[in-house]
Amino acid sequence: MKQIKKKFSHDSLRDANSIKAILKAITTGLGKGKIVLSDDQDEIILKPEGLLNLKVSASEDEDRSSLTLRVSWHADRDVPKNRKLVVGENK
């Protein structure tokens, strides 16, 4: 039987400290194997396990910057290519 696809989306304007708290909660959930995302309209519970795929992308132009983090996983997935990622304040 095919499982119904569930999606969750939330968009809000926040300061850096509140985003830091959200990212910390997500990383804690990753470590525990359960992430619960909810707002006034919807909720989704994710259970990451095994090897996770990480995609980081960033862009910058004159008046707008963007940072996108995507973590995904799939049962019985091939091991992705291992490339070194460095994240920090200084290069």
Side-chain angles (χ1 to χ4, degrees):
M1 181 174 197
K2 190 173 183 179
Q3 186 178 1
I4 297 173
K5 186 174 185 177
K6 181 160 181 163
K7 293 184 177 185
F8 176 86
S9 181
H10 177 86
D11 191 6
S12 60
L13 189 61
R14 298 180 176 267
D15 65 20
N17 282 330
S18 66
I19 292 172
K20 179 181 172 183
I22 291 167
L23 291 172
K24 184 176 180 181
I26 291 170
T27 59
T28 299
L30 278 170
K32 293 182 177 182
K34 182 178 179 183
I35 301 170
V36 179
L37 301 169
S38 66
D39 61 13
D40 295 339
Q41 298 177 357
D42 205 2
E43 176 181 86
I44 192 167
I45 299 171
L46 303 173
K47 296 180 179 177
E49 58 184 29
L51 292 175
L52 309 178
N53 187 43
L54 172 65
K55 180 176 181 180
V56 178
S57 57
S59 65
E60 181 177 47
D61 61 29
E62 290 182 15
D63 63 344
R64 183 179 174 102
S65 298
S66 174
L67 171 66
T68 304
L69 304 171
R70 183 174 72 188
V71 178
S72 59
W73 57 94
H74 186 277
D76 301 326
R77 186 173 190 172
D78 291 337
V79 177
K81 297 177 187 173
N82 248 350
R83 294 185 353 196
K84 184 177 178 183
L85 172 66
V86 178
V87 178
E89 296 175 10
N90 300 322
K91 173 74 178 151

